[in-house]
Amino acid sequence: MAAEIDARTARALEFRTAHYVTAVAEQLMADGVPVTSVYSCGPSSGPEDSFEDVEGGIDFTHRFGRQISADSEGGLHWTGTSGWCYLRSTGPVRDFLAGAGWMEEGLLPEPHRVAAFLDTVRLTPAAAGSRERPRYRATGRGVRELLDRLAGYVPGPPAQHAPQPRFAELRARAYHERVRTALAPQGPDPVLELPLRASEFQAVLHLLEYAEVASSSFGPGVLAGRLSEALQARRGPAPQPPAAGPPAGAPTAPGPAGPPAAATGPRTPPSRTGGPRRAVAGLGCSERIAADLYQIFR
């Protein structure tokens, strides 16, 4: 640890960095990115981990990382000397920054610029960012100036805004807004003929109930409960199995001449996954809703 960074200053750096990366995460979530967590580490030394300067970062769902790079997971990482990079989990533990793609837009770029950098990573993961690490300040130097710049991302009295509860509230509000927007479409809202087994439909109901019971007071729990009620009310009885008939290829007695009998109920198209389909539900726009809710718990 640098001599000029005492324990109190190290804690202040970690605290303010957590709020800065949370502000970036808020922008990413507003853009639809599935953020799972944020973190920060102040200058410290110990038997297992040591950090010469302050660092922080943002983690995403496993599925999101694999969409960017099929052979590795990744996340956004920030260092107090070099700014932001996209970090892939391919480097050795002793040098986890090996292979990182550096943003190269200053030490504390605004959240919307970091979001734009991630967009570039998603479009061209192999080419995004520089492989040469930039240096905007020396390790352990200019600490007071860095603290002053980070202070602008701490909302209100610091004692009332712990970083982790703030992130949890922001994430819940982001998904609440996605659900609310999806349930109140401004344009056409057609009913989807979505092939769905009864077991899959029940799994969606369980997931919605989980969202309802696990949600914070800021989250989409109330909307999840309402959606579950609406889907169950719309479900209707499951189709009955067809009555037994003569084996295939067996001769049948000729019937009286006349027009064919009218169908007695709606036809149930076969499942795309094989076997008879046991239940069909018109879910409206809930494919998008279910996907948004699913991201909360990945």
Side-chain angles (χ1 to χ4, degrees):
M1 180 189 302
E4 72 172 86
I5 305 180
D6 56 41
R8 182 175 180 180
T9 303
R11 288 194 298 271
L13 278 171
E14 181 175 337
F15 177 83
R16 296 184 185 186
T17 295
H19 278 295
Y20 171 55
V21 298
T22 297
V24 175
E26 180 181 13
Q27 177 66 59
L28 295 175
M29 290 186 291
D31 293 345
V33 177
V35 176
T36 60
S37 62
V38 297
Y39 60 88
S40 65
C41 307
S44 61
S45 60
E48 296 183 359
D49 296 306
S50 63
F51 299 92
E52 295 182 347
D53 209 282
V54 65
E55 300 183 13
I58 301 172
D59 289 326
F60 310 115
T61 62
H62 172 85
R63 183 162 49 91
F64 181 82
R66 292 292 183 178
Q67 289 171 354
I68 296 176
S69 179
D71 59 351
S72 66
E73 296 182 54
L76 286 173
H77 189 73
W78 180 85
T79 75
T81 59
S82 304
W84 287 96
C85 67
Y86 185 76
L87 184 63
R88 295 173 178 81
S89 58
T90 56
V93 175
R94 64 182 181 276
D95 186 14
F96 67 97
L97 293 175
W102 294 92
M103 181 176 170
E104 288 193 314
E105 290 194 36
L107 188 58
L108 289 172
E110 295 179 5
H112 70 90
R113 291 169 59 192
V114 183
F117 171 66
L118 181 61
D119 285 342
T120 302
V121 172
R122 297 172 69 180
L123 289 172
T124 55
S130 171
R131 296 299 177 264
E132 184 175 349
R133 180 176 178 177
R135 296 285 180 175
Y136 301 116
R137 54 178 282 272
T139 300
R141 303 299 178 185
V143 174
R144 178 49 53 189
E145 292 81 355
L146 178 57
L147 279 171
D148 290 343
R149 294 181 65 186
L150 288 168
Y153 292 95
V154 180
Q160 300 179 16
H161 293 279
Q164 287 302 327
R166 179 190 170 204
F167 168 73
E169 176 181 344
L170 289 172
R171 183 176 59 180
R173 290 189 183 280
Y175 279 95
H176 183 282
E177 180 60 21
R178 292 189 203 181
V179 173
R180 187 199 65 78
T181 301
L183 288 175
Q186 299 301 309
D189 189 20
V191 173
L192 301 180
E193 289 296 331
L194 178 66
L196 191 69
R197 290 185 178 274
S199 56
E200 296 168 335
F201 183 83
Q202 189 61 48
V204 171
L205 296 181
H206 286 317
L207 183 59
L208 289 171
E209 184 176 350
Y210 181 44
E212 185 178 6
V213 301
S215 177
S216 69
S217 58
F218 319 106
V222 174
L223 293 177
R226 291 175 181 171
L227 177 59
S228 179
E229 291 177 356
L231 293 179
Q232 292 184 77
R234 187 183 307 171
R235 180 178 188 174
Q240 297 298 316
T252 58
T264 57
R267 296 181 59 191
T268 302
S271 167
R272 295 180 183 176
T273 57
R277 193 177 67 183
R278 291 177 286 170
V280 179
L283 296 183
C285 292
S286 64
E287 277 190 307
R288 172 184 169 190
I289 299 169
D292 283 342
L293 289 173
Y294 178 73
Q295 288 180 357
I296 302 176
F297 307 109
R298 280 289 286 139

